[in-house]
Amino acid sequence: QLQLVESGGGLVQPGGSLRVSCAANGFTLDSYNIGWFRQAPGEASKGFIGISSKDGDSYYADSVKGRFTISRDNAKNTVYLQMNSLKPEDTALYYCAADHSLVATRSGPRYWGQGTQVTVSS
């Protein structure tokens, strides 16, 4: 059974950094595009953060460009989201997702993790 498991969320002060992880069980991540999304409190939908394509490219939303970085460790079958210069408005439930199609990864990936909470507050 294909499964994505996020971890590493927590409470961080504004201006701080945090790295969240997305581990794959039951499949190898290097054959999938991986997207990161977040759902802020009170929001009905998940917002796009960025994509790590299986071809090695990365794409980011304007709101996080220059602050967030997605990386892969294929040996550990894990993808990471490094978040720097965090702001209170970055507070959200963070999800990773996977799909073979790059377009689908951006708009509606097939596989989702359960999410990990990130709270930015002093």
Side-chain angles (χ1 to χ4, degrees), residues 52-104:
S52 170
S53 80
K54 57 187 176 183
D55 298 325
D57 297 319
S58 297
Y59 310 93
Y60 299 93
D62 288 343
S63 59
V64 304
K65 199 174 294 183
R67 299 190 300 124
F68 290 13
T69 304
I70 300 172
S71 62
R72 294 179 180 242
D73 186 336
N74 288 333
K76 295 183 178 179
N77 212 26
T78 300
V79 177
Y80 302 99
L81 177 66
Q82 176 68 43
M83 301 180 287
N84 299 327
S85 301
L86 282 162
K87 307 173 183 179
E89 52 263 43
D90 293 318
T91 295
L93 193 58
Y94 282 71
Y95 297 89
C96 64
D99 201 288
H100 281 302
S101 161
L102 187 60
V103 172

Side-chain angles (χ1 to χ4, degrees), residues 108-120:
R110 181 173 181 181
Y111 304 106
W112 288 87
Q114 83 290 348
T116 185
Q117 179 67 39
V118 173
T119 302
V120 185

